């Protein structure tokens, strides 16, 4: 004879099975995943060596995210191949929000500059937010007979063979910003690439090259020390770091604008809820007074943006720099 459990026991058993299933389903849902995120350390890949502007931004942001989210945000410096090495590594990482990359202007330039890339900036990543944005500054030796943009353009037109300008490397913003300037001004300038800003600035100070478009972080201390003179900033508005320094656009080249920026990307396919969580936290971080003051003092302002807005910004940057690369003829195999 079958032993049939009482109805109350069956009901109770079904109740607990139902609760268990619901819990399992909730645990596996994107919303629950986002609420639980992060539950282990998060790696921020910086595709540059330690100590540079991108590394400085990444470490400041990582510290604040760690304080807010209660998990370590670990910096992993992975330089090489024009910042492509670190970006490629993250593009191939698991799309779970635990491996992110700090992108820069170079990543928008590289699709047009490199003959072949093993990743797509606009297809292999999910945009989270811009982090910073700031101008470059045109600096020259104090001996250069030009004290503003109009005089610089006139000098370049009058000098046989054109002026020579240094950069921190082929395809960097310090290179292509000068090429954009040359194209818009209708002048010739000869590119002299260096391995980083420091040796390039040394040669500008020594008069081996005429000028450089460089970050304010690395060049303004030399301007304040009298070893360089600053002609203009490359942003659409003046910089709070040097409010008396005019923009390129207002001092002889209307419409010119070039900024250096950092942003945060995750691998494509990362859950939208995780992207939203990171975006929300970054908004709080980048709007905090101490971060804003710290970044402003270094010449790059905090610049939070929603994921969709940052994605649109990336596409616009890719399109813009593709035109500049084509005009300049720059190429890296």
């Amino acid at each position: 004879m079958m032993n049939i459990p009482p109805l109350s026991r069956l009901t109770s058993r079904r109740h607990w099975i139902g609760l268990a299933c619901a819990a399992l389903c909730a645990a596996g849902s994107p919303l629950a995943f986002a609420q639980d995120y992060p539950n282990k350390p998060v790696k921020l890949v910086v595709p540059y060596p330690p100590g540079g502007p991108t590394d400085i931004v990444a470490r400041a942001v990582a510290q604040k995210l760690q304080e807010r989210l209660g998990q370590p945000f670990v910096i992993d410096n992975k330089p090489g191949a024009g910042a492509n090495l670190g970006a490629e590594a993250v593009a191939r990482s698991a799309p779970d929000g635990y491996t992110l990359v700090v992108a820069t202007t170079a990543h928008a330039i590289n699709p047009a500059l490199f003959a072949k890339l093993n990743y797509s900036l606009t297809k292999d990543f999910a945009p989270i937010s811009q982090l910073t944005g700031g101008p470059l500054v045109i600096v020259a030796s104090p001996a250069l007979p030009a004290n503003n943009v109009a005089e610089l353009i006139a000098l370049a037109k009058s000098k046989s063979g054109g002026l020579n300008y240094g950069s921190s490397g082929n395809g960097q913003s310090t290179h292509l910003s000068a090429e954009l300037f040359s194209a818009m001004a209708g002048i010739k300038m000869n590119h002299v690439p260096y391995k980083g800003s420091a040796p390039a600035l040394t040669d500008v100070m020594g008069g081996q090259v005429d000028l450089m478009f460089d970050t304010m972080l690395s060049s303004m201390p030399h301007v304040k020390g009298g070893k360089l003179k600053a002609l203009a900033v490359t942003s659409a508005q003046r910089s709070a770091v040097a409010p008396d320094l005019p923009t390129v656009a207002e001092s002889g080249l209307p419409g010119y604008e070039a900024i250096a920026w950092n942003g945060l990307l995750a691998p494509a396919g990362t859950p939208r809820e995780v992207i939203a969580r990171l975006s929300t936290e970054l908004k709080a971080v980048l709007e905090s007074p101490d971060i804003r003051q710290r970044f402003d003092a270094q010449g790059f302002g905090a610049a939070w943006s929603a994921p969709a807005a940052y994605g649109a910004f990336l596409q616009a940057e890719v399109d813009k720099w593709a035109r500049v690369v084509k005009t300049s003829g720059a190429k890296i195999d």
Side-chain angles (χ1 to χ4, degrees), residues 63-89:
Q63 180 184 347
K64 284 291 188 179
L65 287 174
Q66 181 170 311
E67 292 171 2
R68 292 184 61 83
L69 292 170
Q71 288 289 344
F73 277 70
V74 181
I75 301 297
D76 180 12
N77 294 97
K78 200 179 289 290
N84 290 323
L85 194 64
E88 182 182 344

Side-chain angles (χ1 to χ4, degrees), residues 11-64:
T11 303
S12 178
R13 185 178 298 170
R14 288 171 182 159
H15 173 75
W16 289 111
I17 290 173
L19 286 177
C21 289
L24 285 171
C25 289
S29 71
L31 181 59
F33 182 79
Q35 290 172 340
D36 190 43
Y37 174 87
N39 58 22
K40 62 181 181 180
V42 178
K43 181 165 65 177
L44 261 62
V45 173
V46 176
Y48 295 94
T54 301
D55 185 68
I56 290 171
V57 168
R59 292 180 187 275
V61 170
Q63 180 184 347
K64 284 291 188 179

